[in-house]
Amino acid sequence: MSHAIGPDDIEAQARARLPEPVWSWLSGGAADEFSLRGNRSAWEALALWPSVLRPLRGAHTRSMLLGRELATPLLLAPAAYQRLLHPLGEAGSALAAATQGAGVVLSGMTSVALEEVARHVRDEPGRGPLWFQLYLSGDRGFDRALVDRARAAGFEAIVLTVDAPVQGPRERERRAGFRIPAGIAAVHYDDRPAPAVSPGALCGGLVEHAPTWDDVAWLRDAAGLPLLLKGVLRADDARRARALGVAGLIVSNHGGRTLDTVTPTAVALPRIADALGGTLPLLVDGGIRRGTDVLKALALGASAVLVGRSALFAYAAGGPQALAQALRRLRDELEIALALCGCARLEEVSRTLLDASQ
């Protein structure tokens, strides 16, 4: 990435390198994109309130999540069809993350087989967590087989996306005429027959197969791995998930790509954290692109963050090396922010670092 210093530079380079339809798919959101912009503006609206002259000897960013140590509280968010961005697809982005100690949440809609992605990273020293995300298909035999493959390949947790039973109205990509090109596919799903459409039924009948809490309970037992739910925004849903015995929650609104005008994740996160009182690990995504955003998320109750678009922009701009550089920059920014706020360790981060007068 020549002359790419910050995220705006990286985004500009990604846009210059991608065909307009692919750029619209990658960067766009649902409908009028209020939620897309709202995620970003909510982090920006939070002001840090640093403490000075604090002892910083021995400072680090290590933490524990689901029983394993993280070098840094960063994971790549699940994102489909990454061969649209680079020929190595998800294998290249996962390896870039592993070199920086960041975790990976591999999309079930990966364009590279999950076994191939795992082969690239599972033995990498110092890598972060390796998790597999999926959408329930309505066919429990298929879903169980896919989870079994993930477990056998070395994935350490299952992430169920619960906020997208149907796709949002993505007008920007429709205007650009985006289509998945020949030769690129969601390799685990695209050979399955399309669900039957029922004219006159809600969303063409697609919601007939929408997952429910009963499906969460089934998957919890079937997975053989810790189960996290991605897409929770309400405290009552968070409490119900806890009662079902899930291992953690990812506070997410799908990056503003499904339901427009939905609550920003920076607003939902502290409400859920208060409701659960530290009884479940919380992660968050949506609009994270600076180390100060990561620090604010930790202050609001997150154990770690998922990085989506800003990481994908880097991957599109310059491949695995550029993505590794972007993750290193994000980690460096977090370390700088920690030091400047007077925190030697992540467990010292709390809401006292945020200006409550706002």
Side-chain angles (χ1 to χ4, degrees), residues 76 88 90-100 104 117 120-121 124 320 323-324:
L76 289 185
L88 289 175
E90 292 79 1
S93 63
L95 184 57
T99 65
Q100 299 304 309
V104 173
V117 175
H120 275 75
V121 302
E124 186 74 17
L323 175 52

Side-chain angles (χ1 to χ4, degrees), residues 104-129:
V104 173
V105 185
L106 179 67
S107 171
M109 305 293 284
T110 175
S111 55
V112 177
L114 64 88
E115 292 87 355
E116 179 71 6
V117 175
R119 185 181 66 81
H120 275 75
V121 302
R122 65 188 169 206
D123 298 324
E124 186 74 17
R127 68 166 175 84

Side-chain angles (χ1 to χ4, degrees), residues 324-347:
Q325 291 171 350
L327 289 171
R328 179 71 248 188
R329 173 191 55 77
L330 193 59
R331 182 175 176 176
D332 289 345
E333 288 183 356
L334 172 60
E335 292 181 2
I336 292 168
L338 276 170
L340 292 177
C341 285
C343 296
R345 296 170 181 79
L346 298 188
E347 55 262 32

Side-chain angles (χ1 to χ4, degrees), residues 1 47 156 179 183 193 295 335 337:
M1 293 184 296
E156 301 156 348
R179 296 289 186 275
L295 182 60
E335 292 181 2

Side-chain angles (χ1 to χ4, degrees), residues 211-222:
T212 68
W213 291 107
D214 288 341
D215 294 304
V216 172
W218 169 80
L219 183 60
R220 175 204 61 206
D221 294 336

Side-chain angles (χ1 to χ4, degrees), residues 46-51 54 295-296 298-299 337-338 340-343 345-346 348-356:
L46 294 169
L48 290 170
W49 200 19
S51 182
R54 299 283 297 274
L295 182 60
K296 293 170 185 178
L298 299 176
L338 276 170
L340 292 177
C341 285
C343 296
R345 296 170 181 79
L346 298 188
E348 296 177 11
V349 176
S350 71
R351 289 188 208 175
T352 61
L353 291 182
L354 300 176
D355 188 347

Side-chain angles (χ1 to χ4, degrees), residues 1 10 13-15 17-18 23 26 84-86 311-319 322-323:
M1 293 184 296
I10 296 170
Q13 289 197 16
R15 182 166 192 173
R17 294 190 178 194
L18 291 175
W23 172 253
L26 175 60
L84 288 168
L85 310 180
H86 189 275
L312 296 174
F313 291 161
Y315 195 42
L323 175 52

